[in-house]
Amino acid sequence: ITTTAWPGFLDSWLSRIPLPKWALIAVAVAGAILLLLFLICIIRCCCGKKKPKKKERISLCPISNSTTASLVQPEMEDLERGVEQMRRGKLQYSLEYNFRTQELKVGVKQAVELKAMDSGGTSDPYVTVYLTSDMKKRYETKVYRKTLNPIFNESFTFQVPQAEVPESTLVMQIYDFNRFAKHDIIGEIRLPLASVNLQHVIEQWSELAAASKVEEEQLGEICFSLRYVPSTGKLTVLILEARKLKRMDSHGLSDPFVKVHLILNRKKWKKKKTSVKKNTLSPYFNEVFIFEVPFSQIQNVDVVISVWDHNKVTKNEPIGKLFLGCRATGNQLRHWSDMLSNPRRPLAQWHILQPPDVVDKALGLKSHLKLPLASR
């Protein structure tokens, strides 16, 4: 049985639309395309999610040589730095410690393949040797002209107490000598003595490393107390003790004493000093000094604490200094401010000594003049 109901119905429905037949066909095709795109999007969204991959080892075997080189090839800067370090050379040295006399003997033997520092492709090398625990005592070898393989064969002796050996580092620096300019450092070796077995004589070669920053010389610490009474104008300075002072004598000790200076308006005013403590790097003083400073002048006063090494024959040498006052900074300013904030109360504190020339420069002292306000 056949029927024509559906086509007849479709023709009657299409005849009602006020559009030509070709326009209806175009609309139908566009709709079909849009529907197809919509279905494609749905399929991608639902099925396009990647399953989590298992961790796999990455093999570089299939990668071509050029790609591998590009992955591991260092920067030119790193290459130049590496080459520069390799060209510093080597140094042969020896170490011998005498436990009976507590002396460390350092032998500087020879160097090879040193870095050329001069325009002619050579250097004028010499070696500086010192211990970080006593940087004042430095030795230097002779200068050898126009060579990258000098033979020194020189030895130097340091007085090092056995208890201080683990805290010391031996530094050997090779310089290129310049007559009319600053000497250039070729390289250095830093050897912590704690890492060395000094029970036996040591002789070995070591690669020179790039020079590190110059360490600050450790001058020691000092503890003192400050007390100020505004009503009476009395400033009390109690020098208690010092520790780890810099060694100033040939036998590795010092004869320290302390000076206390009062500076008023950047001019020297009053001073007092402690007794001398013989042969020690950790002296105990417990000596008190009282200065009369009117309350109207306390803001203009600097207190300078300096530690000195006493010498009978030669001039006394300064070990280190520091100053307190409203112009001070750091711990010194804090100690001074605490004293002013707590009248009649003594306040003690440890301070690290600084190089004397640094403190003098910070103080900016004027020429010495006698002031009307004199010590009573």
Side-chain angles (χ1 to χ4, degrees):
I1 302 172
T2 58
T3 178
T4 57
W6 174 252
F9 171 78
L10 183 60
D11 291 338
S12 63
W13 182 74
L14 290 174
S15 63
R16 294 177 183 178
I17 300 175
L19 290 172
K21 194 172 182 178
W22 63 268
L24 293 175
I25 294 173
V27 171
V29 172
I33 293 174
L34 289 175
L35 180 61
L36 182 61
L37 292 175
F38 180 71
L39 291 174
I40 292 174
C41 290
I42 292 176
I43 292 171
R44 284 189 176 180
C45 290
C46 295
C47 303
K49 292 182 179 178
K50 294 182 180 179
K51 295 181 180 179
K53 293 182 179 180
K54 295 181 180 180
K55 293 182 179 178
E56 299 178 355
R57 293 182 180 178
I58 299 175
S59 176
L60 293 179
C61 296
I63 304 178
S64 64
N65 291 336
S66 59
T67 309
T68 306
S70 66
L71 289 174
V72 299
Q73 185 72 28
E75 297 291 337
M76 290 304 298
E77 239 178 286
D78 298 333
L79 282 175
E80 290 173 2
R81 192 179 300 114
V83 170
E84 182 184 358
Q85 289 179 351
M86 291 175 61
R87 290 179 179 174
R88 294 186 185 279
K90 298 179 182 179
L91 177 67
Q92 185 187 31
Y93 58 91
S94 64
L95 297 177
E96 182 179 359
Y97 186 73
N98 189 320
F99 288 88
R100 183 178 59 83
T101 60
Q102 298 190 7
E103 290 179 341
L104 177 68
K105 186 177 181 180
V106 181
V108 180
K109 303 294 184 180
Q110 58 181 323
V112 295
E113 301 174 357
L114 294 179
K115 180 179 178 181
M117 305 296 287
D118 299 338
S119 57
T122 62
S123 294
D124 302 322
Y126 69 94
V127 183
T128 297
V129 185
Y130 66 91
L131 293 172
T132 56
S133 56
D134 186 11
M135 293 173 57
K136 183 181 178 182
K137 192 170 187 179
R138 294 172 180 250
Y139 293 105
E140 291 183 0
T141 66
K142 296 178 181 178
V143 178
Y144 289 80
R145 302 286 183 179
K146 300 185 183 303
T147 177
L148 301 180
N149 302 285
I151 298 176
F152 301 102
N153 282 335
E154 297 185 42
S155 60
F156 311 103
T157 302
F158 296 89
Q159 191 75 35
V160 188
Q162 187 174 345
E164 296 180 10
V165 169
E167 301 176 3
S168 300
T169 297
L170 175 66
V171 182
M172 293 171 283
Q173 297 176 322
I174 300 186
Y175 284 86
D176 173 48
F177 176 83
N178 291 309
R179 185 174 297 277
F180 303 108
K182 183 180 179 182
H183 299 180
D184 298 317
I185 187 165
I186 299 175
E188 70 176 13
I189 296 171
R190 288 180 178 264
L191 186 65
L193 297 184
S195 64
V196 180
N197 183 8
L198 293 176
Q199 298 289 341
H200 309 283
V201 178
I202 297 171
E203 184 169 320
Q204 62 187 20
W205 287 88
S206 291
E207 291 276 353
L208 292 171
S212 58
K213 292 182 179 178
V214 179
E215 61 268 64
E216 292 185 3
E217 193 173 14
Q218 300 299 316
L219 304 176
E221 301 173 79
I222 185 170
C223 181
F224 55 88
S225 169
L226 296 178
R227 177 176 180 260
Y228 184 66
V229 181
S231 58
T232 60
K234 288 188 177 181
L235 173 64
T236 303
V237 181
L238 172 61
I239 305 298
L240 293 168
E241 58 181 315
R243 64 188 180 193
K244 298 180 181 179
L245 294 179
K246 176 183 173 183
R247 289 190 287 267
M248 303 294 288
D249 299 337
S250 58
H251 55 275
L253 295 173
S254 296
D255 301 323
F257 67 96
V258 180
K259 288 183 182 180
V260 182
H261 280 84
L262 259 59
I263 309 297
L264 179 62
N265 295 325
R266 302 194 179 191
K267 297 176 184 177
K268 294 181 180 180
W269 183 21
K270 304 176 182 180
K271 68 176 180 180
K272 295 183 180 181
K273 63 181 180 179
T274 67
S275 57
V276 177
K277 305 298 178 181
K278 297 287 186 179
N279 298 325
T280 179
L281 300 178
S282 299
Y284 181 76
F285 298 100
N286 197 28
E287 297 184 35
V288 63
F289 306 109
I290 299 176
F291 301 91
E292 293 192 7
V293 182
F295 183 70
S296 60
Q297 296 287 358
I298 194 64
Q299 299 289 341
N300 302 320
V301 167
D302 297 307
V303 178
V304 181
I305 309 291
S306 56
V307 182
W308 295 70
D309 175 49
H310 175 73
N311 291 310
K312 289 183 178 179
V313 181
T314 59
K315 188 178 179 181
N316 297 336
E317 295 181 86
I319 298 176
K321 287 185 179 183
L322 61 96
F323 79 96
L324 303 95
C326 295
R327 296 191 295 139
T329 58
N331 289 329
Q332 288 87 335
L333 178 59
R334 189 176 301 110
H335 195 178
W336 185 260
S337 300
D338 290 343
M339 178 201 71
L340 296 179
S341 302
N342 298 272
R344 295 177 294 277
R345 179 183 171 187
L347 297 171
Q349 185 174 322
W350 281 96
H351 292 272
I352 298 175
L353 292 171
Q354 301 171 5
D357 55 339
V358 173
V359 176
D360 291 343
K361 185 177 180 180
L363 285 169
L365 297 181
K366 299 178 182 178
S367 59
H368 179 72
L369 294 174
K370 190 75 174 180
L371 297 180
L373 190 57
S375 175
R376 295 181 184 178

Short mmCIF file of all heavy atoms in Angstrom, two decimals, residues 26-71:
data_model
loop_
_atom_site.label_atom_id
_atom_site.label_comp_id
_atom_site.label_asym_id
_atom_site.label_seq_id
_atom_site.Cartn_x
_atom_site.Cartn_y
_atom_site.Cartn_z
N ALA A 26 18.93 26.97 0.64
CA ALA A 26 20.15 27.57 1.25
C ALA A 26 20.05 27.59 2.76
O ALA A 26 21.01 27.29 3.48
CB ALA A 26 20.35 28.97 0.69
N VAL A 27 18.86 27.94 3.27
CA VAL A 27 18.66 27.95 4.73
C VAL A 27 18.84 26.55 5.29
O VAL A 27 19.43 26.33 6.35
CB VAL A 27 17.28 28.54 5.07
CG1 VAL A 27 17.00 28.35 6.55
CG2 VAL A 27 17.24 30.01 4.70
N ALA A 28 18.30 25.57 4.57
CA ALA A 28 18.40 24.20 5.06
C ALA A 28 19.85 23.73 5.10
O ALA A 28 20.29 23.08 6.05
CB ALA A 28 17.56 23.27 4.17
N VAL A 29 20.61 24.06 4.04
CA VAL A 29 22.03 23.67 4.01
C VAL A 29 22.82 24.34 5.14
O VAL A 29 23.65 23.71 5.83
CB VAL A 29 22.64 24.02 2.63
CG1 VAL A 29 24.16 23.81 2.65
CG2 VAL A 29 22.01 23.17 1.54
N ALA A 30 22.59 25.66 5.39
CA ALA A 30 23.30 26.37 6.47
C ALA A 30 22.97 25.76 7.82
O ALA A 30 23.84 25.60 8.70
CB ALA A 30 22.93 27.84 6.43
N GLY A 31 21.69 25.42 8.01
CA GLY A 31 21.31 24.79 9.28
C GLY A 31 22.00 23.46 9.48
O GLY A 31 22.41 23.12 10.59
N ALA A 32 22.10 22.69 8.37
CA ALA A 32 22.77 21.39 8.48
C ALA A 32 24.24 21.54 8.84
O ALA A 32 24.80 20.79 9.66
CB ALA A 32 22.60 20.63 7.16
N ILE A 33 24.86 22.56 8.24
CA ILE A 33 26.28 22.79 8.55
C ILE A 33 26.47 23.19 10.01
O ILE A 33 27.38 22.72 10.70
CB ILE A 33 26.85 23.87 7.60
CG1 ILE A 33 26.89 23.33 6.16
CG2 ILE A 33 28.25 24.29 8.04
CD1 ILE A 33 27.29 24.37 5.13
N LEU A 34 25.62 24.09 10.49
CA LEU A 34 25.71 24.51 11.90
C LEU A 34 25.50 23.33 12.82
O LEU A 34 26.18 23.19 13.87
CB LEU A 34 24.68 25.61 12.17
CG LEU A 34 24.97 26.97 11.54
CD1 LEU A 34 23.80 27.92 11.80
CD2 LEU A 34 26.25 27.56 12.10
N LEU A 35 24.55 22.48 12.51
CA LEU A 35 24.30 21.31 13.35
C LEU A 35 25.50 20.37 13.36
O LEU A 35 25.88 19.83 14.41
CB LEU A 35 23.05 20.57 12.82
CG LEU A 35 22.64 19.31 13.59
CD1 LEU A 35 22.30 19.67 15.04
CD2 LEU A 35 21.44 18.64 12.93
N LEU A 36 26.12 20.20 12.18
CA LEU A 36 27.29 19.34 12.09
C LEU A 36 28.46 19.89 12.92
O LEU A 36 29.14 19.15 13.64
CB LEU A 36 27.70 19.22 10.63
CG LEU A 36 28.91 18.31 10.34
CD1 LEU A 36 28.62 16.88 10.79
CD2 LEU A 36 29.28 18.33 8.86
N LEU A 37 28.70 21.20 12.85
CA LEU A 37 29.76 21.82 13.66
C LEU A 37 29.48 21.67 15.15
O LEU A 37 30.41 21.43 15.95
CB LEU A 37 29.90 23.30 13.29
CG LEU A 37 30.44 23.60 11.87
CD1 LEU A 37 30.40 25.10 11.60
CD2 LEU A 37 31.87 23.07 11.71
N PHE A 38 28.24 21.81 15.54
CA PHE A 38 27.85 21.67 16.94
C PHE A 38 28.14 20.26 17.44
O PHE A 38 28.67 20.06 18.54
CB PHE A 38 26.38 22.03 17.09
CG PHE A 38 25.89 21.91 18.51
CD1 PHE A 38 26.30 22.81 19.49
CD2 PHE A 38 25.03 20.88 18.87
CE1 PHE A 38 25.84 22.70 20.79
CE2 PHE A 38 24.57 20.77 20.16
CZ PHE A 38 24.97 21.67 21.13
N LEU A 39 27.83 19.26 16.62
CA LEU A 39 28.08 17.88 17.00
C LEU A 39 29.59 17.60 17.11
O LEU A 39 30.04 16.88 18.00
CB LEU A 39 27.45 16.94 15.95
CG LEU A 39 25.91 16.91 15.94
CD1 LEU A 39 25.40 16.05 14.78
CD2 LEU A 39 25.36 16.38 17.26
N ILE A 40 30.37 18.17 16.17
CA ILE A 40 31.83 17.98 16.24
C ILE A 40 32.41 18.55 17.52
O ILE A 40 33.29 17.95 18.16
CB ILE A 40 32.49 18.61 15.00
CG1 ILE A 40 32.11 17.83 13.73
CG2 ILE A 40 34.02 18.64 15.15
CD1 ILE A 40 32.59 18.47 12.45
N CYS A 41 31.92 19.73 17.93
CA CYS A 41 32.40 20.37 19.18
C CYS A 41 32.09 19.50 20.38
O CYS A 41 32.90 19.34 21.30
CB CYS A 41 31.78 21.74 19.34
SG CYS A 41 32.39 22.96 18.15
N ILE A 42 30.88 18.95 20.42
CA ILE A 42 30.50 18.09 21.55
C ILE A 42 31.39 16.86 21.62
O ILE A 42 31.85 16.45 22.68
CB ILE A 42 29.01 17.68 21.41
CG1 ILE A 42 28.13 18.92 21.60
CG2 ILE A 42 28.67 16.61 22.43
CD1 ILE A 42 26.65 18.63 21.39
N ILE A 43 31.67 16.26 20.44
CA ILE A 43 32.51 15.06 20.42
C ILE A 43 33.92 15.36 20.92
O ILE A 43 34.51 14.60 21.68
CB ILE A 43 32.54 14.48 18.98
CG1 ILE A 43 31.16 13.94 18.60
CG2 ILE A 43 33.59 13.37 18.88
CD1 ILE A 43 31.04 13.55 17.15
N ARG A 44 34.47 16.50 20.51
CA ARG A 44 35.84 16.87 20.95
C ARG A 44 35.90 17.13 22.45
O ARG A 44 36.87 16.78 23.12
CB ARG A 44 36.31 18.10 20.18
CG ARG A 44 36.72 17.79 18.75
CD ARG A 44 37.38 19.00 18.11
NE ARG A 44 37.86 18.70 16.76
CZ ARG A 44 38.48 19.58 16.00
NH1 ARG A 44 38.69 20.81 16.45
NH2 ARG A 44 38.90 19.24 14.78
N CYS A 45 34.88 17.80 22.96
CA CYS A 45 34.87 18.11 24.39
C CYS A 45 34.78 16.85 25.23
O CYS A 45 35.38 16.74 26.30
CB CYS A 45 33.71 19.05 24.72
SG CYS A 45 33.92 20.70 24.06
N CYS A 46 33.99 15.89 24.79
CA CYS A 46 33.76 14.68 25.58
C CYS A 46 34.90 13.68 25.44
O CYS A 46 35.28 13.01 26.40
CB CYS A 46 32.45 14.02 25.16
SG CYS A 46 31.00 15.03 25.50
N CYS A 47 35.43 13.56 24.26
CA CYS A 47 36.42 12.51 24.00
C CYS A 47 37.84 13.03 23.90
O CYS A 47 38.79 12.25 23.77
CB CYS A 47 36.07 11.78 22.70
SG CYS A 47 34.41 11.07 22.70
N GLY A 48 38.03 14.35 23.91
CA GLY A 48 39.37 14.91 23.71
C GLY A 48 40.20 15.01 24.96
O GLY A 48 41.33 15.42 24.92
N LYS A 49 39.67 14.70 26.16
CA LYS A 49 40.43 14.78 27.40
C LYS A 49 41.50 13.70 27.41
O LYS A 49 41.21 12.52 27.22
CB LYS A 49 39.52 14.60 28.61
CG LYS A 49 38.55 15.76 28.78
CD LYS A 49 37.71 15.56 30.03
CE LYS A 49 36.75 16.72 30.25
NZ LYS A 49 35.90 16.53 31.43
N LYS A 50 42.74 14.13 27.67
CA LYS A 50 43.85 13.19 27.68
C LYS A 50 43.89 12.45 28.98
O LYS A 50 43.71 13.02 30.05
CB LYS A 50 45.18 13.93 27.48
CG LYS A 50 45.29 14.58 26.11
CD LYS A 50 46.64 15.25 25.98
CE LYS A 50 46.77 15.90 24.61
NZ LYS A 50 48.06 16.59 24.46
N LYS A 51 44.11 11.18 28.86
CA LYS A 51 44.27 10.38 30.07
C LYS A 51 45.63 10.69 30.69
O LYS A 51 46.60 10.90 29.98
CB LYS A 51 44.20 8.90 29.72
CG LYS A 51 42.83 8.49 29.19
CD LYS A 51 42.82 7.02 28.88
CE LYS A 51 41.45 6.60 28.33
NZ LYS A 51 41.42 5.14 28.00
N PRO A 52 45.69 10.73 32.03
CA PRO A 52 46.99 11.01 32.67
C PRO A 52 48.00 9.95 32.31
O PRO A 52 47.75 8.76 32.46
CB PRO A 52 46.65 10.99 34.17
CG PRO A 52 45.38 10.21 34.26
CD PRO A 52 44.63 10.46 33.01
N LYS A 53 49.14 10.46 31.81
CA LYS A 53 50.18 9.54 31.39
C LYS A 53 51.00 9.08 32.59
O LYS A 53 51.22 9.82 33.54
CB LYS A 53 51.11 10.22 30.38
CG LYS A 53 50.43 10.53 29.06
CD LYS A 53 51.44 11.14 28.10
CE LYS A 53 50.78 11.44 26.77
NZ LYS A 53 51.74 12.03 25.82
N LYS A 54 51.44 7.85 32.52
CA LYS A 54 52.32 7.35 33.56
C LYS A 54 53.69 7.99 33.41
O LYS A 54 54.11 8.34 32.32
CB LYS A 54 52.45 5.83 33.44
CG LYS A 54 51.14 5.09 33.70
CD LYS A 54 51.36 3.60 33.59
CE LYS A 54 50.05 2.86 33.86
NZ LYS A 54 50.24 1.39 33.76
N LYS A 55 54.36 8.15 34.56
CA LYS A 55 55.70 8.74 34.52
C LYS A 55 56.62 7.84 33.72
O LYS A 55 56.73 6.64 33.99
CB LYS A 55 56.25 8.94 35.93
CG LYS A 55 55.49 9.98 36.72
CD LYS A 55 56.10 10.15 38.09
CE LYS A 55 55.35 11.22 38.88
NZ LYS A 55 55.91 11.37 40.22
N GLU A 56 57.28 8.41 32.77
CA GLU A 56 58.17 7.65 31.92
C GLU A 56 59.57 8.23 31.99
O GLU A 56 59.75 9.43 32.15
CB GLU A 56 57.68 7.68 30.46
CG GLU A 56 56.30 7.07 30.28
CD GLU A 56 55.85 7.17 28.84
OE1 GLU A 56 56.58 7.79 28.05
OE2 GLU A 56 54.78 6.63 28.52
N ARG A 57 60.51 7.38 31.88
CA ARG A 57 61.89 7.83 31.81
C ARG A 57 62.15 8.42 30.44
O ARG A 57 61.76 7.85 29.43
CB ARG A 57 62.86 6.67 32.07
CG ARG A 57 62.77 6.15 33.50
CD ARG A 57 63.78 5.04 33.70
NE ARG A 57 63.72 4.51 35.06
CZ ARG A 57 64.47 3.50 35.50
NH1 ARG A 57 65.33 2.92 34.68
NH2 ARG A 57 64.36 3.08 36.74
N ILE A 58 62.83 9.55 30.45
CA ILE A 58 63.11 10.22 29.17
C ILE A 58 64.46 9.73 28.66
O ILE A 58 65.48 9.82 29.36
CB ILE A 58 63.14 11.74 29.35
CG1 ILE A 58 61.77 12.20 29.84
CG2 ILE A 58 63.51 12.43 28.06
CD1 ILE A 58 61.71 13.66 30.16
N SER A 59 64.46 9.21 27.51
CA SER A 59 65.69 8.71 26.90
C SER A 59 66.19 9.73 25.89
O SER A 59 65.44 10.23 25.06
CB SER A 59 65.42 7.38 26.21
OG SER A 59 66.58 6.94 25.53
N LEU A 60 67.47 10.04 25.98
CA LEU A 60 68.06 10.99 25.05
C LEU A 60 68.64 10.32 23.82
O LEU A 60 69.20 10.96 22.96
CB LEU A 60 69.17 11.80 25.75
CG LEU A 60 68.70 12.75 26.85
CD1 LEU A 60 69.92 13.44 27.45
CD2 LEU A 60 67.74 13.78 26.31
N CYS A 61 68.53 8.98 23.77
CA CYS A 61 69.13 8.26 22.65
C CYS A 61 68.56 8.68 21.30
O CYS A 61 69.31 8.85 20.35
CB CYS A 61 68.96 6.75 22.86
SG CYS A 61 69.82 6.15 24.32
N PRO A 62 67.19 8.80 21.17
CA PRO A 62 66.67 9.13 19.85
C PRO A 62 66.97 10.55 19.40
O PRO A 62 66.78 10.88 18.25
CB PRO A 62 65.16 8.93 20.00
CG PRO A 62 64.98 8.19 21.29
CD PRO A 62 66.12 8.58 22.13
N ILE A 63 67.41 11.43 20.33
CA ILE A 63 67.60 12.83 19.98
C ILE A 63 68.88 12.99 19.19
O ILE A 63 69.90 12.38 19.48
CB ILE A 63 67.65 13.69 21.25
CG1 ILE A 63 66.38 13.47 22.07
CG2 ILE A 63 67.82 15.14 20.92
CD1 ILE A 63 66.36 14.24 23.36
N SER A 64 68.83 13.81 18.21
CA SER A 64 70.00 14.01 17.36
C SER A 64 71.11 14.71 18.12
O SER A 64 70.88 15.35 19.15
CB SER A 64 69.61 14.83 16.13
OG SER A 64 69.20 16.12 16.53
N ASN A 65 72.32 14.61 17.61
CA ASN A 65 73.49 15.20 18.29
C ASN A 65 73.35 16.69 18.44
O ASN A 65 73.70 17.26 19.46
CB ASN A 65 74.75 14.87 17.50
CG ASN A 65 75.08 13.39 17.59
OD1 ASN A 65 74.66 12.74 18.54
ND2 ASN A 65 75.81 12.88 16.61
N SER A 66 72.85 17.37 17.42
CA SER A 66 72.75 18.82 17.46
C SER A 66 71.77 19.26 18.53
O SER A 66 71.99 20.22 19.25
CB SER A 66 72.31 19.36 16.10
OG SER A 66 71.05 18.81 15.75
N THR A 67 70.64 18.50 18.66
CA THR A 67 69.65 18.85 19.68
C THR A 67 70.21 18.62 21.07
O THR A 67 70.04 19.42 21.98
CB THR A 67 68.37 18.01 19.49
OG1 THR A 67 67.94 18.12 18.14
CG2 THR A 67 67.28 18.49 20.41
N THR A 68 70.91 17.50 21.25
CA THR A 68 71.50 17.21 22.56
C THR A 68 72.50 18.29 22.94
O THR A 68 72.54 18.76 24.08
CB THR A 68 72.22 15.85 22.52
OG1 THR A 68 71.30 14.87 22.06
CG2 THR A 68 72.73 15.47 23.88
N ALA A 69 73.30 18.71 21.99
CA ALA A 69 74.30 19.75 22.27
C ALA A 69 73.63 21.04 22.69
O ALA A 69 74.10 21.73 23.59
CB ALA A 69 75.17 19.98 21.04
N SER A 70 72.49 21.36 22.05
CA SER A 70 71.81 22.60 22.39
C SER A 70 71.20 22.54 23.77
O SER A 70 71.02 23.55 24.43
CB SER A 70 70.73 22.91 21.36
OG SER A 70 69.71 21.93 21.42
N LEU A 71 70.88 21.31 24.24
CA LEU A 71 70.28 21.18 25.57
C LEU A 71 71.30 21.32 26.67
O LEU A 71 71.01 21.85 27.74
CB LEU A 71 69.59 19.81 25.69
CG LEU A 71 68.30 19.63 24.88
CD1 LEU A 71 67.82 18.19 24.97
CD2 LEU A 71 67.22 20.58 25.36
#
